[in-house]
Short mmCIF file of all heavy atoms in Angstrom, two decimals:
data_model
loop_
_atom_site.label_atom_id
_atom_site.label_comp_id
_atom_site.label_asym_id
_atom_site.label_seq_id
_atom_site.Cartn_x
_atom_site.Cartn_y
_atom_site.Cartn_z
N MET A 1 0.82 -1.20 0.00
CA MET A 1 0.01 0.00 -0.03
C MET A 1 0.85 1.26 0.01
O MET A 1 0.60 2.18 -0.75
CB MET A 1 -0.90 -0.06 1.23
CG MET A 1 -1.86 1.08 1.32
SD MET A 1 -3.14 0.90 0.11
CE MET A 1 -4.16 2.22 0.52
N ILE A 2 1.90 1.26 0.82
CA ILE A 2 2.78 2.43 0.89
C ILE A 2 3.52 2.60 -0.42
O ILE A 2 3.72 3.73 -0.87
CB ILE A 2 3.72 2.31 2.09
CG1 ILE A 2 2.96 2.40 3.40
CG2 ILE A 2 4.80 3.36 2.04
CD1 ILE A 2 3.77 2.16 4.62
N PHE A 3 3.87 1.49 -1.04
CA PHE A 3 4.60 1.56 -2.31
C PHE A 3 3.76 2.30 -3.35
O PHE A 3 4.25 3.16 -4.06
CB PHE A 3 4.95 0.12 -2.79
CG PHE A 3 5.54 0.11 -4.18
CD1 PHE A 3 6.83 0.55 -4.40
CD2 PHE A 3 4.76 -0.30 -5.26
CE1 PHE A 3 7.37 0.52 -5.66
CE2 PHE A 3 5.29 -0.30 -6.52
CZ PHE A 3 6.58 0.10 -6.73
N PHE A 4 2.46 1.95 -3.45
CA PHE A 4 1.62 2.59 -4.44
C PHE A 4 1.39 4.06 -4.12
O PHE A 4 1.27 4.88 -5.04
CB PHE A 4 0.27 1.85 -4.53
CG PHE A 4 0.43 0.46 -5.12
CD1 PHE A 4 0.19 -0.65 -4.34
CD2 PHE A 4 0.87 0.30 -6.42
CE1 PHE A 4 0.34 -1.89 -4.89
CE2 PHE A 4 1.02 -0.95 -6.97
CZ PHE A 4 0.73 -2.08 -6.20
N GLN A 5 1.35 4.41 -2.85
CA GLN A 5 1.21 5.82 -2.49
C GLN A 5 2.48 6.60 -2.87
O GLN A 5 2.38 7.71 -3.38
CB GLN A 5 0.96 5.97 -1.02
CG GLN A 5 -0.44 5.53 -0.60
CD GLN A 5 -0.65 5.61 0.91
OE1 GLN A 5 0.31 5.64 1.68
NE2 GLN A 5 -1.91 5.63 1.32
N LEU A 6 3.64 5.99 -2.67
CA LEU A 6 4.88 6.64 -3.11
C LEU A 6 5.00 6.78 -4.59
O LEU A 6 5.44 7.81 -5.10
CB LEU A 6 6.11 5.86 -2.54
CG LEU A 6 6.33 5.94 -1.03
CD1 LEU A 6 7.44 5.01 -0.63
CD2 LEU A 6 6.55 7.35 -0.61
N VAL A 7 4.57 5.75 -5.33
CA VAL A 7 4.58 5.83 -6.78
C VAL A 7 3.62 6.94 -7.22
O VAL A 7 3.91 7.73 -8.13
CB VAL A 7 4.19 4.48 -7.38
CG1 VAL A 7 3.91 4.60 -8.89
CG2 VAL A 7 5.32 3.47 -7.14
N GLY A 8 2.41 7.02 -6.60
CA GLY A 8 1.46 8.07 -6.95
C GLY A 8 2.01 9.46 -6.67
O GLY A 8 1.81 10.37 -7.50
N ILE A 9 2.72 9.62 -5.60
CA ILE A 9 3.32 10.93 -5.30
C ILE A 9 4.35 11.27 -6.31
O ILE A 9 4.47 12.39 -6.78
CB ILE A 9 3.87 10.92 -3.85
CG1 ILE A 9 2.77 10.90 -2.86
CG2 ILE A 9 4.78 12.13 -3.62
CD1 ILE A 9 3.19 10.64 -1.41
N GLY A 10 5.17 10.30 -6.71
CA GLY A 10 6.20 10.49 -7.71
C GLY A 10 5.62 10.85 -9.04
O GLY A 10 6.08 11.81 -9.71
N VAL A 11 4.58 10.19 -9.44
CA VAL A 11 3.89 10.50 -10.72
C VAL A 11 3.27 11.91 -10.68
O VAL A 11 3.39 12.68 -11.61
CB VAL A 11 2.83 9.42 -11.07
CG1 VAL A 11 1.95 9.88 -12.22
CG2 VAL A 11 3.52 8.12 -11.38
N GLN A 12 2.63 12.21 -9.55
CA GLN A 12 2.01 13.54 -9.39
C GLN A 12 3.08 14.64 -9.47
O GLN A 12 2.86 15.64 -10.11
CB GLN A 12 1.31 13.60 -8.07
CG GLN A 12 0.59 14.92 -7.80
CD GLN A 12 -0.13 14.87 -6.45
OE1 GLN A 12 -0.33 13.84 -5.86
NE2 GLN A 12 -0.54 16.04 -5.99
N PHE A 13 4.21 14.42 -8.87
CA PHE A 13 5.31 15.42 -8.91
C PHE A 13 5.83 15.59 -10.31
O PHE A 13 6.02 16.70 -10.76
CB PHE A 13 6.46 15.01 -7.96
CG PHE A 13 7.63 15.90 -8.04
CD1 PHE A 13 7.56 17.17 -7.44
CD2 PHE A 13 8.78 15.53 -8.68
CE1 PHE A 13 8.64 18.03 -7.52
CE2 PHE A 13 9.86 16.38 -8.74
CZ PHE A 13 9.79 17.63 -8.15
N CYS A 14 6.06 14.46 -11.00
CA CYS A 14 6.59 14.57 -12.38
C CYS A 14 5.63 15.22 -13.35
O CYS A 14 6.02 16.05 -14.13
CB CYS A 14 6.94 13.14 -12.90
SG CYS A 14 8.33 12.41 -12.05
N VAL A 15 4.32 14.89 -13.19
CA VAL A 15 3.33 15.53 -14.05
C VAL A 15 3.22 17.03 -13.73
O VAL A 15 3.10 17.84 -14.66
CB VAL A 15 1.98 14.79 -13.93
CG1 VAL A 15 0.89 15.61 -14.62
CG2 VAL A 15 2.07 13.42 -14.51
N SER A 16 3.29 17.37 -12.46
CA SER A 16 3.18 18.79 -12.11
C SER A 16 4.40 19.56 -12.67
O SER A 16 4.23 20.70 -13.14
CB SER A 16 3.09 18.96 -10.58
OG SER A 16 4.30 18.61 -9.95
N GLN A 17 5.56 18.96 -12.65
CA GLN A 17 6.73 19.63 -13.23
C GLN A 17 6.57 19.78 -14.75
O GLN A 17 6.92 20.83 -15.32
CB GLN A 17 8.01 18.84 -12.92
CG GLN A 17 8.40 18.89 -11.47
CD GLN A 17 8.69 20.30 -11.00
OE1 GLN A 17 9.37 21.09 -11.65
NE2 GLN A 17 8.17 20.64 -9.84
N LEU A 18 6.04 18.76 -15.40
CA LEU A 18 5.83 18.83 -16.83
C LEU A 18 4.79 19.88 -17.19
O LEU A 18 4.99 20.65 -18.12
CB LEU A 18 5.42 17.46 -17.38
CG LEU A 18 5.21 17.35 -18.85
CD1 LEU A 18 6.51 17.59 -19.60
CD2 LEU A 18 4.65 15.96 -19.20
N VAL A 19 3.69 19.94 -16.39
CA VAL A 19 2.66 20.92 -16.67
C VAL A 19 3.21 22.32 -16.44
O VAL A 19 2.98 23.24 -17.26
CB VAL A 19 1.44 20.66 -15.75
CG1 VAL A 19 0.46 21.84 -15.77
CG2 VAL A 19 0.70 19.41 -16.22
N GLN A 20 3.97 22.50 -15.37
CA GLN A 20 4.54 23.84 -15.12
C GLN A 20 5.50 24.23 -16.20
O GLN A 20 5.54 25.41 -16.62
CB GLN A 20 5.23 23.87 -13.76
CG GLN A 20 5.79 25.23 -13.40
CD GLN A 20 6.45 25.25 -12.06
OE1 GLN A 20 6.76 24.20 -11.48
NE2 GLN A 20 6.68 26.43 -11.54
N THR A 21 6.29 23.33 -16.68
CA THR A 21 7.27 23.62 -17.69
C THR A 21 6.61 23.99 -19.04
O THR A 21 6.98 24.93 -19.67
CB THR A 21 8.21 22.40 -17.93
OG1 THR A 21 8.86 22.12 -16.72
CG2 THR A 21 9.29 22.73 -18.97
N ARG A 22 5.60 23.20 -19.41
CA ARG A 22 4.98 23.39 -20.74
C ARG A 22 3.81 24.37 -20.75
O ARG A 22 3.61 25.09 -21.71
CB ARG A 22 4.47 22.06 -21.25
CG ARG A 22 5.55 21.07 -21.52
CD ARG A 22 6.44 21.57 -22.64
NE ARG A 22 7.47 20.59 -22.89
CZ ARG A 22 8.28 20.66 -23.87
NH1 ARG A 22 8.22 21.67 -24.73
NH2 ARG A 22 9.22 19.74 -24.03
N LEU A 23 3.05 24.47 -19.64
CA LEU A 23 1.87 25.31 -19.63
C LEU A 23 1.97 26.53 -18.72
O LEU A 23 1.08 27.33 -18.62
CB LEU A 23 0.61 24.49 -19.25
CG LEU A 23 0.27 23.34 -20.18
CD1 LEU A 23 -0.93 22.61 -19.67
CD2 LEU A 23 0.02 23.84 -21.60
N GLY A 24 3.06 26.59 -17.98
CA GLY A 24 3.29 27.75 -17.09
C GLY A 24 2.59 27.65 -15.75
O GLY A 24 2.05 26.62 -15.38
N PHE A 25 2.61 28.75 -15.09
CA PHE A 25 2.08 28.81 -13.72
C PHE A 25 0.54 28.59 -13.69
O PHE A 25 0.02 27.91 -12.82
CB PHE A 25 2.39 30.15 -13.08
CG PHE A 25 1.98 30.25 -11.64
CD1 PHE A 25 2.61 29.52 -10.66
CD2 PHE A 25 0.91 31.07 -11.29
CE1 PHE A 25 2.19 29.59 -9.34
CE2 PHE A 25 0.48 31.15 -9.99
CZ PHE A 25 1.14 30.42 -8.99
N ALA A 26 -0.17 29.12 -14.68
CA ALA A 26 -1.61 28.94 -14.75
C ALA A 26 -1.99 27.48 -14.90
O ALA A 26 -2.90 26.98 -14.26
CB ALA A 26 -2.21 29.77 -15.88
N GLY A 27 -1.27 26.75 -15.71
CA GLY A 27 -1.50 25.30 -15.85
C GLY A 27 -1.25 24.57 -14.56
O GLY A 27 -2.02 23.65 -14.22
N LEU A 28 -0.21 24.96 -13.85
CA LEU A 28 0.06 24.32 -12.54
C LEU A 28 -1.03 24.61 -11.54
O LEU A 28 -1.43 23.71 -10.78
CB LEU A 28 1.42 24.80 -12.02
CG LEU A 28 1.87 24.14 -10.72
CD1 LEU A 28 2.06 22.63 -10.89
CD2 LEU A 28 3.17 24.82 -10.24
N VAL A 29 -1.55 25.82 -11.51
CA VAL A 29 -2.67 26.13 -10.62
C VAL A 29 -3.90 25.32 -10.93
O VAL A 29 -4.53 24.76 -10.04
CB VAL A 29 -2.95 27.67 -10.68
CG1 VAL A 29 -4.25 28.02 -9.95
CG2 VAL A 29 -1.79 28.45 -10.08
N VAL A 30 -4.25 25.21 -12.23
CA VAL A 30 -5.41 24.42 -12.60
C VAL A 30 -5.20 22.94 -12.26
O VAL A 30 -6.09 22.27 -11.76
CB VAL A 30 -5.72 24.59 -14.11
CG1 VAL A 30 -6.80 23.64 -14.56
CG2 VAL A 30 -6.14 26.01 -14.37
N PHE A 31 -4.00 22.44 -12.47
CA PHE A 31 -3.68 21.06 -12.14
C PHE A 31 -3.81 20.81 -10.65
O PHE A 31 -4.42 19.81 -10.22
CB PHE A 31 -2.25 20.71 -12.60
CG PHE A 31 -1.80 19.32 -12.29
CD1 PHE A 31 -2.38 18.25 -12.97
CD2 PHE A 31 -0.87 19.07 -11.34
CE1 PHE A 31 -1.96 16.96 -12.70
CE2 PHE A 31 -0.45 17.78 -11.06
CZ PHE A 31 -1.00 16.73 -11.73
N THR A 32 -3.31 21.71 -9.85
CA THR A 32 -3.39 21.58 -8.38
C THR A 32 -4.84 21.64 -7.91
O THR A 32 -5.23 20.82 -7.07
CB THR A 32 -2.54 22.65 -7.69
OG1 THR A 32 -1.22 22.57 -8.21
CG2 THR A 32 -2.58 22.49 -6.18
N MET A 33 -5.62 22.58 -8.46
CA MET A 33 -7.04 22.69 -8.06
C MET A 33 -7.81 21.42 -8.47
O MET A 33 -8.67 20.99 -7.72
CB MET A 33 -7.64 23.93 -8.68
CG MET A 33 -7.14 25.20 -8.09
SD MET A 33 -7.75 26.69 -8.94
CE MET A 33 -9.49 26.48 -8.90
N ALA A 34 -7.48 20.87 -9.61
CA ALA A 34 -8.16 19.64 -10.05
C ALA A 34 -7.82 18.49 -9.13
O ALA A 34 -8.72 17.67 -8.83
CB ALA A 34 -7.81 19.34 -11.51
N LEU A 35 -6.60 18.38 -8.74
CA LEU A 35 -6.21 17.29 -7.81
C LEU A 35 -6.91 17.41 -6.44
O LEU A 35 -7.36 16.43 -5.85
CB LEU A 35 -4.71 17.25 -7.61
CG LEU A 35 -3.92 16.74 -8.80
CD1 LEU A 35 -2.42 16.78 -8.49
CD2 LEU A 35 -4.32 15.34 -9.22
N VAL A 36 -7.04 18.66 -5.98
CA VAL A 36 -7.72 18.89 -4.70
C VAL A 36 -9.22 18.54 -4.87
O VAL A 36 -9.84 17.92 -3.97
CB VAL A 36 -7.56 20.37 -4.28
CG1 VAL A 36 -8.50 20.70 -3.12
CG2 VAL A 36 -6.11 20.61 -3.86
N GLY A 37 -9.77 18.86 -6.01
CA GLY A 37 -11.20 18.47 -6.26
C GLY A 37 -11.41 17.01 -6.29
O GLY A 37 -12.42 16.48 -5.83
N VAL A 38 -10.48 16.27 -6.88
CA VAL A 38 -10.61 14.82 -6.90
C VAL A 38 -10.51 14.23 -5.50
O VAL A 38 -11.27 13.34 -5.12
CB VAL A 38 -9.52 14.21 -7.81
CG1 VAL A 38 -9.42 12.69 -7.64
CG2 VAL A 38 -9.81 14.53 -9.27
N LYS A 39 -9.59 14.76 -4.69
CA LYS A 39 -9.41 14.23 -3.32
C LYS A 39 -10.59 14.62 -2.40
O LYS A 39 -10.79 13.96 -1.39
CB LYS A 39 -8.07 14.71 -2.77
CG LYS A 39 -6.92 14.05 -3.48
CD LYS A 39 -5.59 14.46 -2.89
CE LYS A 39 -4.49 13.81 -3.66
NZ LYS A 39 -3.19 14.07 -3.14
N ALA A 40 -11.33 15.65 -2.75
CA ALA A 40 -12.47 16.08 -1.92
C ALA A 40 -13.62 15.09 -2.00
O ALA A 40 -14.44 15.00 -1.11
CB ALA A 40 -12.93 17.47 -2.33
N GLU A 41 -13.71 14.34 -3.13
CA GLU A 41 -14.73 13.33 -3.35
C GLU A 41 -16.17 13.87 -3.34
O GLU A 41 -17.10 13.15 -2.97
CB GLU A 41 -14.59 12.18 -2.33
CG GLU A 41 -13.27 11.43 -2.48
CD GLU A 41 -13.16 10.27 -1.51
OE1 GLU A 41 -14.10 10.05 -0.75
OE2 GLU A 41 -12.10 9.63 -1.53
N HIS A 42 -16.33 15.12 -3.70
CA HIS A 42 -17.68 15.68 -3.86
C HIS A 42 -18.06 15.46 -5.32
O HIS A 42 -17.26 15.76 -6.21
CB HIS A 42 -17.68 17.14 -3.50
CG HIS A 42 -19.04 17.72 -3.47
ND1 HIS A 42 -19.65 18.26 -4.60
CD2 HIS A 42 -19.95 17.88 -2.46
CE1 HIS A 42 -20.83 18.72 -4.28
NE2 HIS A 42 -21.04 18.48 -2.97
N PRO A 43 -19.24 14.97 -5.62
CA PRO A 43 -19.61 14.61 -7.03
C PRO A 43 -19.40 15.71 -8.03
O PRO A 43 -18.87 15.48 -9.11
CB PRO A 43 -21.08 14.22 -6.94
CG PRO A 43 -21.28 13.76 -5.50
CD PRO A 43 -20.35 14.60 -4.68
N ARG A 44 -19.84 16.95 -7.73
CA ARG A 44 -19.67 18.01 -8.69
C ARG A 44 -18.19 18.39 -8.86
O ARG A 44 -17.73 18.71 -9.97
CB ARG A 44 -20.44 19.23 -8.26
CG ARG A 44 -21.93 19.05 -8.41
CD ARG A 44 -22.67 20.32 -8.08
NE ARG A 44 -24.11 20.11 -8.18
CZ ARG A 44 -25.00 20.95 -7.77
NH1 ARG A 44 -24.62 22.07 -7.18
NH2 ARG A 44 -26.27 20.68 -7.90
N LEU A 45 -17.46 18.41 -7.77
CA LEU A 45 -16.03 18.72 -7.86
C LEU A 45 -15.28 17.67 -8.63
O LEU A 45 -14.38 17.97 -9.40
CB LEU A 45 -15.43 18.88 -6.47
CG LEU A 45 -15.73 20.18 -5.72
CD1 LEU A 45 -15.15 20.12 -4.32
CD2 LEU A 45 -15.18 21.35 -6.47
N VAL A 46 -15.67 16.43 -8.44
CA VAL A 46 -15.01 15.33 -9.18
C VAL A 46 -15.25 15.46 -10.65
O VAL A 46 -14.34 15.30 -11.49
CB VAL A 46 -15.43 13.98 -8.66
CG1 VAL A 46 -14.96 12.84 -9.53
CG2 VAL A 46 -14.95 13.76 -7.21
N ARG A 47 -16.49 15.78 -11.06
CA ARG A 47 -16.78 15.95 -12.49
C ARG A 47 -16.00 17.11 -13.08
O ARG A 47 -15.44 17.04 -14.15
CB ARG A 47 -18.27 16.16 -12.71
CG ARG A 47 -19.06 14.88 -12.66
CD ARG A 47 -20.46 15.11 -13.17
NE ARG A 47 -21.18 16.14 -12.39
CZ ARG A 47 -22.12 15.84 -11.48
NH1 ARG A 47 -22.49 14.61 -11.26
NH2 ARG A 47 -22.70 16.82 -10.81
N TRP A 48 -15.97 18.24 -12.36
CA TRP A 48 -15.22 19.41 -12.81
C TRP A 48 -13.72 19.07 -12.91
O TRP A 48 -13.06 19.44 -13.87
CB TRP A 48 -15.40 20.61 -11.87
CG TRP A 48 -14.57 21.76 -12.25
CD1 TRP A 48 -14.92 22.74 -13.16
CD2 TRP A 48 -13.23 22.08 -11.83
NE1 TRP A 48 -13.91 23.63 -13.29
CE2 TRP A 48 -12.86 23.23 -12.50
CE3 TRP A 48 -12.35 21.48 -10.95
CZ2 TRP A 48 -11.62 23.85 -12.28
CZ3 TRP A 48 -11.12 22.05 -10.74
CH2 TRP A 48 -10.74 23.20 -11.41
N SER A 49 -13.23 18.41 -11.89
CA SER A 49 -11.82 18.03 -11.88
C SER A 49 -11.44 17.09 -13.00
O SER A 49 -10.38 17.22 -13.60
CB SER A 49 -11.44 17.41 -10.52
OG SER A 49 -11.68 18.32 -9.49
N ALA A 50 -12.31 16.13 -13.28
CA ALA A 50 -12.03 15.22 -14.37
C ALA A 50 -11.98 15.96 -15.71
O ALA A 50 -11.09 15.73 -16.54
CB ALA A 50 -13.11 14.11 -14.44
N GLY A 51 -12.90 16.91 -15.89
CA GLY A 51 -12.88 17.71 -17.13
C GLY A 51 -11.65 18.59 -17.21
O GLY A 51 -11.04 18.72 -18.28
N ALA A 52 -11.26 19.18 -16.09
CA ALA A 52 -10.10 20.05 -16.05
C ALA A 52 -8.83 19.24 -16.36
O ALA A 52 -7.96 19.68 -17.09
CB ALA A 52 -9.98 20.75 -14.72
N LEU A 53 -8.71 18.04 -15.77
CA LEU A 53 -7.54 17.22 -15.99
C LEU A 53 -7.49 16.73 -17.45
O LEU A 53 -6.42 16.72 -18.06
CB LEU A 53 -7.52 16.01 -15.02
CG LEU A 53 -7.15 16.34 -13.59
CD1 LEU A 53 -7.34 15.11 -12.71
CD2 LEU A 53 -5.75 16.88 -13.48
N ALA A 54 -8.62 16.38 -17.99
CA ALA A 54 -8.68 15.96 -19.39
C ALA A 54 -8.27 17.12 -20.31
O ALA A 54 -7.45 16.93 -21.22
CB ALA A 54 -10.07 15.45 -19.74
N GLY A 55 -8.76 18.29 -20.00
CA GLY A 55 -8.40 19.45 -20.80
C GLY A 55 -6.91 19.78 -20.70
O GLY A 55 -6.27 20.11 -21.70
N LEU A 56 -6.34 19.67 -19.46
CA LEU A 56 -4.92 19.91 -19.28
C LEU A 56 -4.10 18.91 -20.11
O LEU A 56 -3.10 19.28 -20.71
CB LEU A 56 -4.55 19.83 -17.84
CG LEU A 56 -4.75 21.09 -17.01
CD1 LEU A 56 -4.42 20.82 -15.53
CD2 LEU A 56 -3.88 22.22 -17.52
N PHE A 57 -4.51 17.66 -20.09
CA PHE A 57 -3.71 16.66 -20.81
C PHE A 57 -3.83 16.83 -22.30
O PHE A 57 -2.87 16.58 -23.04
CB PHE A 57 -4.07 15.23 -20.35
CG PHE A 57 -3.48 14.89 -19.02
CD1 PHE A 57 -4.28 14.71 -17.91
CD2 PHE A 57 -2.10 14.80 -18.88
CE1 PHE A 57 -3.71 14.42 -16.68
CE2 PHE A 57 -1.55 14.52 -17.62
CZ PHE A 57 -2.36 14.32 -16.54
N VAL A 58 -4.97 17.29 -22.78
CA VAL A 58 -5.11 17.59 -24.22
C VAL A 58 -4.18 18.74 -24.57
O VAL A 58 -3.45 18.72 -25.56
CB VAL A 58 -6.59 17.88 -24.58
CG1 VAL A 58 -6.68 18.52 -25.94
CG2 VAL A 58 -7.40 16.61 -24.51
N LEU A 59 -4.23 19.84 -23.77
CA LEU A 59 -3.34 20.97 -24.02
C LEU A 59 -1.87 20.58 -23.93
O LEU A 59 -1.06 21.02 -24.75
CB LEU A 59 -3.63 22.10 -23.01
CG LEU A 59 -4.90 22.87 -23.22
CD1 LEU A 59 -5.10 23.85 -22.07
CD2 LEU A 59 -4.84 23.62 -24.52
N LEU A 60 -1.58 19.71 -22.97
CA LEU A 60 -0.18 19.26 -22.80
C LEU A 60 0.25 18.42 -24.00
O LEU A 60 1.37 18.61 -24.48
CB LEU A 60 -0.07 18.45 -21.54
CG LEU A 60 1.31 18.16 -21.03
CD1 LEU A 60 2.08 19.43 -20.74
CD2 LEU A 60 1.23 17.35 -19.73
N THR A 61 -0.63 17.59 -24.49
CA THR A 61 -0.30 16.77 -25.68
C THR A 61 -0.07 17.66 -26.90
O THR A 61 0.88 17.48 -27.65
CB THR A 61 -1.44 15.76 -25.98
OG1 THR A 61 -1.61 14.97 -24.82
CG2 THR A 61 -1.07 14.90 -27.15
N LEU A 62 -0.96 18.64 -27.07
CA LEU A 62 -0.77 19.56 -28.22
C LEU A 62 0.49 20.38 -28.06
O LEU A 62 1.18 20.68 -29.05
CB LEU A 62 -2.00 20.49 -28.33
CG LEU A 62 -3.31 19.81 -28.72
CD1 LEU A 62 -4.44 20.82 -28.63
CD2 LEU A 62 -3.22 19.22 -30.10
N ARG A 63 0.80 20.77 -26.86
CA ARG A 63 2.00 21.58 -26.59
C ARG A 63 3.27 20.77 -26.80
O ARG A 63 4.26 21.28 -27.27
CB ARG A 63 1.92 22.10 -25.15
CG ARG A 63 2.96 23.01 -24.80
CD ARG A 63 2.64 24.42 -25.30
NE ARG A 63 3.58 25.30 -24.68
CZ ARG A 63 4.02 26.41 -25.23
NH1 ARG A 63 3.52 26.77 -26.36
NH2 ARG A 63 4.88 27.17 -24.65
N LEU A 64 3.24 19.48 -26.47
CA LEU A 64 4.41 18.64 -26.65
C LEU A 64 4.68 18.34 -28.13
O LEU A 64 5.83 18.13 -28.50
CB LEU A 64 4.27 17.33 -25.88
CG LEU A 64 4.37 17.43 -24.34
CD1 LEU A 64 4.09 16.07 -23.70
CD2 LEU A 64 5.76 17.90 -23.94
N GLN A 65 3.62 18.31 -28.95
CA GLN A 65 3.80 18.03 -30.35
C GLN A 65 4.38 19.23 -31.09
O GLN A 65 5.00 19.07 -32.10
CB GLN A 65 2.45 17.62 -30.97
CG GLN A 65 2.01 16.24 -30.51
CD GLN A 65 0.67 15.89 -31.10
OE1 GLN A 65 0.06 16.69 -31.82
NE2 GLN A 65 0.26 14.66 -30.83
N ALA A 66 4.10 20.43 -30.55
CA ALA A 66 4.58 21.64 -31.26
C ALA A 66 6.04 21.91 -30.97
O ALA A 66 6.66 21.46 -30.12
CB ALA A 66 3.73 22.84 -30.83
#
């Protein structure tokens, strides 16, 4: 269990660094707010967070291709 939590923290850190590098500070703020929304486990926040994360990853994919 602890191993998976450590892997999750590592992945979260790497993705946050990638988002900050490619999308700037605003992307990092949206990424952080989306993660907080997911951890809150409120249905509306989870839906918003899933949409925000999907949007960030689409922007990140487009940004990495350019």
Side-chain angles (χ1 to χ4, degrees):
M1 183 73 174
I2 292 174
F3 173 75
F4 293 114
Q5 289 177 340
L6 290 174
V7 169
I9 290 169
V11 168
Q12 182 179 346
F13 176 74
C14 291
V15 170
S16 69
Q17 291 299 315
L18 183 63
V19 167
Q20 183 180 14
T21 302
R22 295 295 180 172
L23 299 178
F25 184 71
L28 183 62
V29 169
V30 172
F31 179 71
T32 304
M33 289 174 55
L35 288 179
V36 170
V38 168
K39 291 182 181 184
E41 296 181 2
H42 188 272
R44 288 185 182 170
L45 283 176
V46 169
R47 281 192 302 256
W48 177 87
S49 298
L53 286 174
L56 276 176
F57 283 113
V58 166
L59 287 174
L60 193 59
T61 302
L62 293 173
R63 187 80 170 148
L64 287 175
Q65 289 179 355

